[in-house]
Amino acid sequence: MSCLLAYRSWIETLVPAALLASKGSSSVRIVGMENEVVEVKFFRRRPLHPERFLEKLRERFGPLDRDGWNVARPMRQVHEVEVVEVLAGSGCVWFMGSDDVQAEWFYSEGRHILRCGEPWPSSGAGAAGDRRVELVVRVMGTALAIQRWKEEFFSELGSCLITREEVDELEQGNIMLNPQCEWEEIRA
């Protein structure tokens, strides 16, 4: 009985109490601890700042293939005691100052690339037309770990969206991007 109490105390330090469910007095079941595969989708109709995005992309997924690290790296991201495994990802990216062409991002088997994609369609609703940031990442882990990972990932991407001040600067014609910006090199 003392081993069970010690085990339960140890589990309670790792898992929030709301996730623990007791069955009788002799066993403990952890709710939501089964691994599942989920697609996490990020969609915004506001452009990203390319330099901030590339910095966050490398922090989360490692070097881009163009960085010279052409070795596949499995991507496991630890959140407290839980692991989220990134299986694959892809999407189109609208960068500030790049209203003519979209960026395409792909992640698979520990490798990821960012490349120049198709021109944005000229038709579409609203001033932005079809321009958007739309990323889909397939991850595996427990529901709680995936939720935490998603919140963190969305927060990082949100910090890359251009601000109202940056929009005002663009509208005034001030150049905000460094002409040596990496995205401009990829586009060339």
Side-chain angles (χ1 to χ4, degrees):
M1 184 69 167
S2 62
C3 286
L4 179 61
L5 291 176
Y7 176 74
R8 185 180 181 128
S9 295
W10 176 75
I11 289 292
E12 287 172 344
T13 64
L14 300 176
V15 180
L19 293 179
L20 293 176
S22 178
K23 281 187 172 179
S25 60
S26 62
S27 66
V28 175
R29 177 175 55 93
I30 302 173
V31 177
M33 295 302 286
E34 302 82 28
N35 277 346
E36 54 188 62
V37 175
V38 174
E39 283 190 347
V40 175
K41 298 177 183 180
F42 181 85
F43 182 91
R44 297 293 186 278
R45 288 214 172 263
R46 188 165 38 138
L48 295 168
H49 190 286
E51 293 167 333
R52 291 195 302 258
F53 176 73
L54 287 167
E55 178 184 338
K56 293 294 182 186
L57 195 68
R58 285 185 174 102
E59 286 174 9
R60 180 156 293 272
F61 298 102
L64 288 164
D65 275 7
R66 71 187 307 265
D67 294 335
W69 297 85
N70 292 320
V71 177
R73 301 162 299 281
M75 187 51 58
R76 299 180 77 101
Q77 298 174 2
V78 178
H79 293 273
E80 296 179 17
V81 297
E82 301 178 48
V83 174
V84 172
E85 185 170 355
V86 180
L87 305 173
S90 65
C92 66
V93 180
W94 176 19
F95 283 131
M96 173 179 83
S98 185
D99 291 343
D100 56 338
V101 68
Q102 61 184 287
E104 295 176 338
W105 174 72
F106 301 96
Y107 176 88
S108 180
E109 298 178 2
R111 299 176 71 175
H112 68 116
I113 61 171
L114 182 72
R115 69 179 185 195
C116 192
E118 298 292 319
W120 289 110
S122 57
S123 64
D130 289 334
R131 294 178 193 96
R132 67 196 178 281
V133 176
E134 185 173 5
L135 302 174
V136 178
V137 182
R138 181 172 278 204
V139 296
M140 182 174 67
T142 65
L144 179 62
I146 290 172
Q147 182 60 34
R148 289 178 180 164
W149 185 92
K150 178 182 172 182
E151 289 169 4
E152 192 176 280
F153 184 52
F154 279 24
S155 175
E156 290 170 5
L157 290 173
S159 73
C160 298
L161 292 167
I162 65 169
T163 64
R164 180 63 128 159
E165 293 79 25
E166 290 168 326
V167 170
D168 292 343
E169 290 289 322
L170 280 173
E171 289 173 352
Q172 294 173 9
N174 297 336
I175 297 174
M176 301 245 345
L177 288 179
N178 176 352
Q180 304 303 314
C181 171
E182 186 175 356
W183 168 241
E184 292 301 321
E185 292 175 11
I186 293 171
R187 283 175 49 119

